[in-house]
Amino acid sequence: MANIISRPDWYITEREVTSEFAYRNRRKFLKQMGFAGGALATLSGGLSAAGKVRSLYPAKRAAAFNPGWPLTDETVATTYNNFYEFTTQKTMVHRLVDDFEISPWKVKVHGLCAKPTTFDFDDLCRKIGLEERVYRFRCVEAWAMTVPWTGFPMHKLLKLVEPKAEAKFVKFVTAMIPEQMPGIARQPRYPWPYTEGLTMAEAMHDLAFVATGIFGKPMPKQNGAPIRTVIPWKYGYKSIKSIVEIEFTKSQPETLWETLSPEEYPFESNVEPKVPHPRWSQATHRIVDTGERERTLLYNGYEKQVGHLYKK
Ligand code: MTE
């Protein structure tokens, strides 16, 4: 798509994705720009202090989601972020989130359901309870990480409001607070707020996760505090941060990225190594902390669990 405004900063050519030179330079840049201060942000400003629920951390790691994969370095995972409401520069997000207020926090769940409810975030965590799951996470930009997420399966939240049979999709909406989110004004043509969606079958799948924490602590603001989704078999942009609204709909909801560039960021967006992005290959990815290159697996390695959802 030629429209420069609709082009996210994920714009990288195939050469850049694979080039050793570009990779080395990026490592150097990250070192200079962000990671030196990363540990500090992780320990102080970047960490949300959702006071009342702090005692729920660390949650017990669910054995079935503890495959023994090497975890990504915590400082890297919390200082190399995509959160366009703050900035398009990944290593700068954690430095711009201090003014973002995340407590108290409400999530409105409504639409085609019998019991629409606005939940207080702290009450919700205590009501459902928290567990930890280690998931692989693959960004459309061809980088990947493996992190322990704390939270609960999405179906536990959705079932609380009793979705109706007519509900075919679930729409998710991020908070839109321009005074606290400096990136919104810098991208005036983006169709804010950030929205995402899943089919009902995807949302009810046990792997679809609502995350409230990472690495055994409450979610840092830059990673989507206080509550976000993690859909490990889809590209990372489907995992929407800082959610304020969830709606059951009959028709497929519009999403921010699909609205901007449907050929590049379609609604389904499963990780599919044989389907290249129009501007780069998706066959491999870079492990974000070690820089190693790895083969990308169908549905990000979760084919056994979710493959049946997409059998034609
Ligand atoms: N959610 C919102 N609201 N805004 C964003 O810019 N970026 C997405 C996703 N969720 C994004 C978002 C993208 S592109 C990715 S790869 C992941 O968040 C990054 O999550 P992380 O910063 O925790 O690694």
Side-chain angles (χ1 to χ4, degrees), residues 23 27 30 35 70-77 80 143-146 215 286-292:
Y23 158 67
R27 294 290 287 181
L30 294 181
F35 291 165
L71 297 182
T72 296
D73 178 86
E74 181 179 349
T75 301
V76 174
Y80 184 76
W143 56 261
M145 59 181 185
T146 301
F215 293 100
R286 175 178 54 91
I287 303 295
V288 76
D289 57 344
T290 64
E292 281 163 51

Side-chain angles (χ1 to χ4, degrees), residues 123-139:
D123 294 344
L124 185 67
C125 293
R126 278 194 301 252
K127 189 180 175 74
I128 298 183
L130 303 180
E131 64 179 74
E132 187 177 79
R133 292 182 175 190
V134 176
Y135 278 169
R136 301 155 63 94
F137 187 85
R138 169 61 157 82
C139 180

Side-chain angles (χ1 to χ4, degrees), residues 59 107 134 254:
V107 184
V134 176
E254 288 182 359

